[in-house]
Amino acid sequence: MKFKLHYLAILFGSVLIASQSVIPVSADIGDSDNYYNVLLDDESAVRFRRSKSASVEKKSTELHFNAKNTIEDVLNYPGFKPFAKILMPNTKQSDLAVHLDELQNIMSIHHNITTDNTLESLDYLASRIENKERVFYPIYSKEDIKADPTLEDTGLYFFRGDENAPFAIILPGGYSYRSTIHEGLPIALRVSNAGFNAFVLSYRSGNLIKGSKDLITAINFVINNADKLKVRKDKYSLWGAAVGAQLIINVTQNSEKGELKGLLQEKPVANIFSYPLSYYPSENDVPTVIVVGDQDRIVNKTILKSSINNLNKMGIESKFILIPRLQHGFGVGFDPNSSVSINWIGRATSFWEDVAGLSEESSDSNEEGKEGEDDGLIM
């Protein structure tokens, strides 16, 4: 009898533990600090209100590139000529023979670099170019670039979403090399597939003020040319990874002081940061999402989480998302071939919609800007 009771106790305890270990997707651990631990995630867990899905599911059967194409092949693609030198991580002679499925070997501070993401991004650009659509815009005039040749390394890649939908500008990190192909284009592709217009900014690296001015110039460029680009002028968001996040933080917090004073036409309604190197909030901040991997050994996760707590105490709605098993520089953060996707991009997009009040608006409410040409852009 004692044995049976002991057995039943163990069985009951096991059932109880099992029932308590089922953590709901989007579990909010403590309402006071808005801390999200994404243990499981799939497409059904993310609320998408727009007309398209935020995950790229359909693969083209006729990709312009394959895994064994080299960096040199990409740089020599005729349609990429206007921006080839700022597209790939490195254009050194020694790296030109690197295959597209070997980019991880030359992007040492990044992780989760997948060939599928690389090929999808390059194919999007090549397909649009073949369809006679413009995918890259300089943000400085020819006269400006002639006076300062370093401005030649700047510009915006454009991933089109719904006509007259709000826009996002995405800033890759990289520090010692360009990470556009990993932290820029694949994210823009998913944001645009959610219905938003997404731009990826190539900026001058190594100087906080110069990079910040490039960001402000890019924002003003899109706003000034919203009609021709067919994007909505207001309620835009900024997305930045690592160093890119630092530029956004600087512009958001310091756009009314010092060298940046009076340059920015309008602040974003939301900022999305992937593993920012440092962040201390101020009353000048806007609603913010911080996403970081729990295996990140570069950023201080405690400080970042505390910063989000402080923003909420200031009345600035913000979220902290910790993703298991990911290290620093994870980019999209999941393998598109995986049956379970950790879709932080979908969560961040929904956050943007919520704080901007976009979910309460019709996607057809802004019907301005019907020109079909890209000429006459305002610099």
Side-chain angles (χ1 to χ4, degrees), residues 306-321:
S306 177
S307 296
I308 291 298
N309 291 341
N310 290 333
L311 280 173
N312 282 294
K313 290 176 182 178
M314 294 179 199
I316 302 173
E317 184 178 352
S318 299
K319 304 288 184 185
F320 183 83
I321 302 175

Side-chain angles (χ1 to χ4, degrees), residues 190-205:
R190 284 156 177 80
V191 172
S192 69
N193 281 339
F196 295 97
N197 293 289
F199 297 87
V200 179
L201 175 63
S202 176
Y203 55 88
R204 289 172 291 176
S205 61

Side-chain angles (χ1 to χ4, degrees), residues 109 111 275-277 292-301 304 322-330:
I109 62 176
H111 298 87
Y275 34 87
L277 304 178
V292 63
D294 70 350
Q295 301 300 308
D296 196 316
R297 299 292 181 262
I298 294 179
V299 305
N300 190 318
K301 294 182 284 293
L304 295 179
L322 184 69
I323 305 182
R325 300 181 302 279
L326 288 183
Q327 302 180 56
H328 189 79
F330 55 72

Side-chain angles (χ1 to χ4, degrees), residues 341-359:
S341 61
I342 303 174
N343 195 351
W344 69 267
I345 298 173
R347 293 179 179 278
T349 302
S350 291
F351 176 87
W352 173 19
E353 287 184 295
D354 286 340
V355 298
L358 296 173
S359 58

Side-chain angles (χ1 to χ4, degrees), residues 108 124 170 260 273 341:
S108 58
Y124 174 91
I170 299 163
L260 305 182
F273 300 142
S341 61

Side-chain angles (χ1 to χ4, degrees), residues 48-286:
F48 291 112
R49 308 179 185 87
R50 304 192 69 81
S51 60
K52 303 178 184 178
S53 168
S55 81
V56 178
E57 305 228 345
K58 295 182 180 178
K59 303 286 195 304
S60 171
T61 57
E62 298 181 1
L63 294 175
H64 294 77
F65 303 94
N66 62 63
K68 292 307 175 185
N69 279 127
T70 64
I71 288 180
E72 185 171 24
D73 293 333
V74 174
L75 300 182
N76 288 336
Y77 183 75
F80 292 171
K81 185 176 180 180
F83 51 83
K85 63 174 290 190
I86 58 174
L87 177 61
M88 302 302 288
N90 291 299
T91 55
K92 297 184 299 184
Q93 189 67 34
S94 59
D95 294 324
L96 295 180
V98 172
H99 297 122
L100 295 181
D101 61 357
E102 299 172 332
L103 293 183
Q104 185 71 73
N105 296 338
I106 62 170
M107 300 179 72
S108 58
I109 62 176
H110 289 87
H111 298 87
N112 299 88
I113 300 172
T114 71
T115 307
D116 278 348
N117 286 345
T118 301
L119 297 180
E120 285 172 352
S121 300
L122 294 175
D123 185 64
Y124 174 91
L125 296 178
S127 297
R128 295 289 178 159
I129 290 170
E130 288 189 358
N131 198 38
K132 308 301 182 183
E133 296 179 38
R134 190 168 179 178
V135 299
F136 185 79
Y137 294 84
I139 57 175
Y140 292 102
S141 67
K142 292 180 179 179
E143 292 73 22
D144 290 333
I145 295 173
K146 184 176 181 180
D148 182 358
T150 65
L151 299 178
E152 191 175 12
D153 291 342
T154 66
L156 286 168
Y157 300 89
F158 187 14
F159 287 66
R160 288 173 171 80
D162 293 340
E163 188 171 309
N164 298 316
F167 69 90
I169 295 182
I170 299 163
L171 283 72
Y175 185 65
S176 58
Y177 55 81
R178 297 184 185 280
S179 62
T180 303
I181 195 65
H182 176 56
E183 292 175 326
L185 306 185
I187 294 174
L189 186 56
R190 284 156 177 80
V191 172
S192 69
N193 281 339
F196 295 97
N197 293 289
F199 297 87
V200 179
L201 175 63
S202 176
Y203 55 88
R204 289 172 291 176
S205 61
N207 186 293
L208 181 64
I209 296 300
K210 289 182 179 180
S212 297
K213 288 183 176 180
D214 292 340
L215 173 55
I216 292 174
T217 301
I219 295 169
N220 293 343
F221 173 87
V222 176
I223 292 175
N224 290 337
N225 294 287
D227 289 352
K228 289 193 173 294
L229 296 171
K230 297 182 181 179
V231 305
R232 180 169 172 169
K233 294 181 180 182
D234 63 342
K235 298 189 176 183
Y236 72 92
S237 65
L238 298 177
W239 301 51
V243 176
Q246 303 309 131
L247 297 182
I248 297 173
I249 292 168
N250 187 48
V251 168
T252 303
Q253 295 183 349
N254 301 310
S255 60
E256 292 304 320
K257 62 177 89 169
E259 293 187 47
L260 305 182
K261 186 175 182 179
L263 300 180
L264 183 64
Q265 291 187 29
E266 183 176 337
K267 293 177 73 169
V269 296
N271 286 335
I272 316 297
F273 300 142
S274 304
Y275 34 87
L277 304 178
S278 65
Y279 180 47
Y280 297 93
S282 80
E283 59 185 13
N284 294 324
D285 278 304
V286 300

